[in-house]
Amino acid sequence: MILQQLIILGKASRAWLERLGRAYILFAYMVWGIPSIFRRFHLFIQQVYFLGVFSFLLILIAGFFVGMVMGFQGYHTLAKFGAESSLGVVVALSIVRELGPVITALLFAGRAGSALTAEIGLMKVTEQLASMEMMAVDPVKQVLVPRLLAGIFVLPLLAAIFSAVGILGGEFVGVAVLGVDSGAYWSQMQSSVDIYNDILNGIVKSIFFGLITTWIAVFEGYDTVPTSEGVSRATTRTVVYSALSVLALDFILTALMFGEH
Amino acid sequence: MNDSNTSLISIKDLVFHRGEQIIFDGTNIEIPKGKITAIMGPSGTGKTTLLRLLGGQLPPLSGSIHIDGQDVGRFSRKQWYLLRRRMGMLFQSGALLTDMNVFDNVAFPLRENTALNERMIRHLVLMKLQAVGLRGARTLMPAELSGGMARRVALARAIALDPMMIMYDEPFTGQDPISMGVLVKLIRSLNDTLHLTSIIVSHDIHETLAIADYIYILSQGKVVGEGTPENLQKNPSQWVQQFIHGMPDGPVHFDYPAVEYYQDVFSFEKTP
Ligand SMILES: Nc1ncnc2c1ncn2[C@@H]1O[C@H](COP(=O)(O)OP(=O)(O)OP(=O)(O)O)[C@@H](O)[C@H]1O
Ligand SMILES: [Mg+2]
């Protein structure tokens, strides 16, 4: 009985490791195929447009709400120490360093990543990928590489928009609702937020998040079991794996960036 | 059909497995140049698999495949891509790219594989669409086509690069009698006017007997019968007769391999 359980466990972990291996092989192959993007630059532009438009409104709304919540939370904590005028710093730092990249990546995985997986998975089900191969067109270069690069390019842009809107949301709550001085909100932020330490690190984070979420999304689509059930399972997996990877990677990157002293 | 000078493709001792299942078990097939060869067999015998082996999308376990004099067994990815420019394939579902219209679908292999300018491409695409009778449908999207039309567009796309051979996976299924007749004529005339070699995979006996120059019947990984349509109808083999006359049981089993029915029915512990 226990032996049987162990065998099942062993088989499952082996299958999982094999998938992981295939994901790495696909990644290496995509990296090798990156130069081909110069011949198909329009595909990259097209995907930047699609992925960006897909998530744009979502990011705007989410960013504003998160900023407003940070405004309330920050104000109440700071008020205890009579430091309400530092609200701008607290809102800006927590959003630019953490919430902006992470929440944007999670929303991106749920909106654009799942759509990518479903699209590529359906292309596999309907034999479009196989027919490309037979027309001597490599589907990895034609379909996957433009999407991967577009994801890496788009996510930092979306995170920047999220951060900007979030800081405005914080200002709306802090200044218009709770009566913090507008000049203090902005000037303290300006003097305390560092281009290199804060903003650049946030951008680096979202580049990594863009890479990992889009990689997972295109791999899950490409590796789909070609049935309609297979596509729906792959879509779910994309969202779950992307979310977990983003959070784990965020821990690692944060430890590397801010873990010293 | 052993004269290798007139063969475009020769398959020797092909072995291929899917997990436990043996799909090909020492199969030998010769595809003569310039002719229409049909591969027939019951559903699930591996006809589609055979086309995928010929297109290099699956590697054989053992045996050799020669295409146009080249041993493709050790082909690199690059060599396969070069060879595929000279192969056309019509997929069972048509497999049109759903995000572009009919014109762009037919233009796709030309744009990707040649350096022709847009005027030349337009010229070629309209010519290919005219050949399948769908020049007027060039602005439609694949979702707006009927199944039969989609397959004809896919056919135009498959011949866009003027291949040396074309493989048809079940071209006749789901066609009404008129488009069936059109398609049969089309396959014949394309084969003869473009000097193609055609391979048709099918289980539609009547159409295949009418169109093919030579027929192979596969069952359980082996060739169980071969010959011209006339010879095949006279073939004394029970297998061949069963298949041609569509009898449900005989030497070829319609059922997927299983233990004896009574054993399954009376065994309670071994579920499922
Ligand atoms: N991806 C796969 N993984 C595992 N087994 C497969 C796969 N694809 C096909 N098979 C098995 O291979 C066998 C041959 O399949 P194939 O699609 O070549 O049959 P076919 O002759 O084309 O049938 P049909 O006439 O129904 O299209 C089937 O029994 C099927 O179970
Ligand atoms: Mg088939």
Side-chain angles (χ1 to χ4, degrees):
Chain A
M1 197 53 201
I2 289 179
L3 191 66
Q4 261 183 354
Q5 302 286 326
L6 276 179
I7 290 174
I8 292 173
L9 190 69
K11 274 191 180 158
S13 11
R14 214 189 107 174
W16 198 83
L17 281 176
E18 275 175 10
R19 278 173 58 76
L20 198 63
R22 286 203 297 277
Y24 278 106
I25 291 172
L26 181 68
F27 184 68
Y29 188 58
M30 285 193 288
V31 170
W32 183 78
I34 283 177
S36 71
I37 198 68
F38 296 112
R39 269 195 62 223
R40 309 162 207 260
F41 204 68
H42 63 285
L43 292 178
F44 170 72
I45 301 290
Q46 210 176 354
Q47 288 307 319
V48 168
Y49 176 75
F50 278 142
L51 295 181
V53 167
F54 250 153
S55 325
F56 184 71
L57 197 61
L58 186 67
I59 297 294
L60 277 188
I61 295 170
F64 198 70
F65 275 110
V66 169
M68 289 196 295
V69 170
M70 288 309 296
F72 279 121
Q73 295 281 12
Y75 181 86
H76 281 283
T77 310
L78 291 170
K80 287 183 193 154
F81 309 103
E84 300 94 321
S85 54
S86 303
L87 183 65
V89 184
V90 169
V91 169
L93 284 185
S94 47
I95 288 183
V96 169
R97 278 182 177 186
E98 266 315 309
L99 296 174
V102 171
I103 295 182
T104 307
L106 295 179
L107 293 173
F108 179 81
R111 185 74 182 89
S114 60
L116 274 184
T117 303
E119 186 194 13
I120 297 171
L122 282 174
M123 291 180 85
K124 185 168 177 183
V125 174
T126 54
E127 295 181 306
Q128 292 183 54
L129 298 181
S131 79
M132 276 186 196
E133 269 180 14
M134 288 307 298
M135 287 185 280
V137 175
D138 188 341
V140 172
K141 292 177 185 165
Q142 174 79 19
V143 177
L144 303 197
V145 170
R147 284 164 175 74
L148 180 75
L149 293 179
I152 297 173
F153 180 75
V154 157
L155 199 61
L157 294 182
L158 291 173
I161 292 167
F162 183 101
S163 297
V165 173
I167 289 169
L168 286 179
E171 196 224 6
F172 172 71
V173 164
V175 175
V177 180
L178 300 171
V180 174
D181 180 54
S182 170
Y185 186 87
W186 290 109
S187 65
Q188 292 226 13
M189 191 191 307
Q190 192 184 13
S191 58
S192 302
V193 178
D194 184 62
I195 271 271
Y196 176 75
N197 261 331
D198 303 319
I199 296 184
L200 199 67
N201 277 342
I203 293 175
V204 169
K205 270 188 183 179
S206 40
I207 290 175
F208 275 100
F209 294 163
L211 171 70
I212 198 144
T213 49
T214 328
W215 172 22
I216 289 173
V218 296
F219 170 73
E220 288 293 345
Y222 193 65
D223 203 56
T224 300
V225 179
T227 59
S228 34
E229 198 211 349
V231 174
S232 81
R233 292 175 71 146
T235 313
T236 311
R237 273 203 304 265
T238 291
V239 176
V240 173
Y241 288 168
S242 301
L244 289 179
S245 314
V246 164
L247 295 173
L249 192 63
D250 185 45
F251 169 72
I252 296 170
L253 290 175
T254 309
L256 287 178
M257 288 169 177
F258 305 106
E260 285 155 31
H261 321 298
Chain B
M1 278 296 152
N2 288 323
D3 187 358
S4 57
N5 290 329
T6 60
S7 293
L8 183 72
I9 297 176
S10 87
I11 301 170
K12 292 216 169 65
D13 304 321
L14 178 69
V15 178
F16 184 77
H17 296 183
R18 281 275 197 199
E20 308 280 281
Q21 201 184 350
I22 299 167
I23 310 278
F24 293 107
D25 185 17
T27 314
N28 293 295
I29 292 176
E30 298 281 327
I31 309 282
K33 223 175 242 174
K35 298 270 167 60
I36 298 180
T37 306
I39 313 277
M40 307 192 72
S43 200
T45 34
K47 303 183 296 293
T48 301
T49 309
L50 182 68
L51 296 187
R52 290 188 164 244
L53 286 160
L54 289 178
Q57 296 186 315
L58 293 171
L61 202 62
S62 72
S64 74
I65 300 176
H66 286 258
I67 300 179
D68 197 26
Q70 293 169 286
D71 182 355
V72 299
R74 296 191 191 287
F75 260 26
S76 65
R77 191 187 276 266
K78 203 166 183 178
Q79 283 173 302
W80 270 118
Y81 274 109
L82 280 176
L83 183 62
R84 285 180 192 149
R85 289 184 193 183
R86 300 163 60 211
M87 295 177 150
M89 174 141 172
L90 193 69
F91 283 81
Q92 219 159 338
S93 60
L96 295 177
L97 304 180
T98 42
D99 59 348
M100 33 177 112
N101 67 18
V102 165
F103 182 94
D104 290 330
N105 258 287
V106 180
F108 181 77
L110 293 166
R111 288 185 179 140
E112 291 297 326
N113 288 311
T114 69
L116 298 174
N117 63 27
E118 273 304 307
R119 261 190 64 203
M120 271 306 284
I121 286 179
R122 186 185 138 84
H123 207 72
L124 285 171
V125 170
L126 293 185
M127 200 165 86
K128 304 297 175 188
L129 281 173
Q130 175 71 18
V132 299
L134 288 174
R135 192 167 43 85
R138 63 177 177 271
T139 55
L140 298 181
M141 295 302 282
E144 298 169 310
L145 302 174
S146 74
M149 285 160 84
R151 213 152 325 162
R152 273 149 68 198
V153 174
L155 182 51
R157 186 179 69 171
I159 56 172
L161 286 172
D162 289 323
M164 62 176 177
M165 59 178 280
I166 180 161
M167 301 184 269
Y168 299 89
D169 195 353
E170 310 279 2
F172 306 121
T173 40
Q175 299 279 353
D176 66 72
I178 297 176
S179 52
M180 179 89 88
V182 172
L183 201 66
V184 168
K185 259 208 218 126
L186 199 56
I187 293 176
R188 183 86 247 173
S189 68
L190 285 177
N191 188 78
D192 296 349
T193 54
L194 301 179
H195 306 290
L196 291 167
T197 299
S198 308
I199 303 172
I200 296 183
V201 151
S202 177
H203 38 215
D204 291 281
I205 317 262
H206 287 291
E207 288 71 30
T208 312
L209 285 177
I211 194 176
D213 296 310
Y214 202 82
I215 299 178
Y216 286 91
I217 299 180
L218 295 180
S219 175
Q220 294 175 346
K222 291 234 171 16
V223 174
V224 294
E226 61 175 290
T228 58
E230 300 79 51
N231 286 343
L232 214 52
Q233 272 159 320
K234 283 182 264 163
N235 193 313
S237 150
Q238 277 182 304
W239 266 331
V240 174
Q241 289 307 318
Q242 185 205 341
F243 190 77
I244 288 187
H245 298 294
M247 293 178 288
D249 234 332
V252 183
H253 296 293
F254 165 73
D255 297 336
Y256 196 87
V259 296
E260 287 296 323
Y261 190 36
Y262 74 87
Q263 280 181 356
D264 246 356
V265 172
F266 290 109
S267 74
F268 294 105
E269 57 276 9
K270 276 197 287 173
T271 39

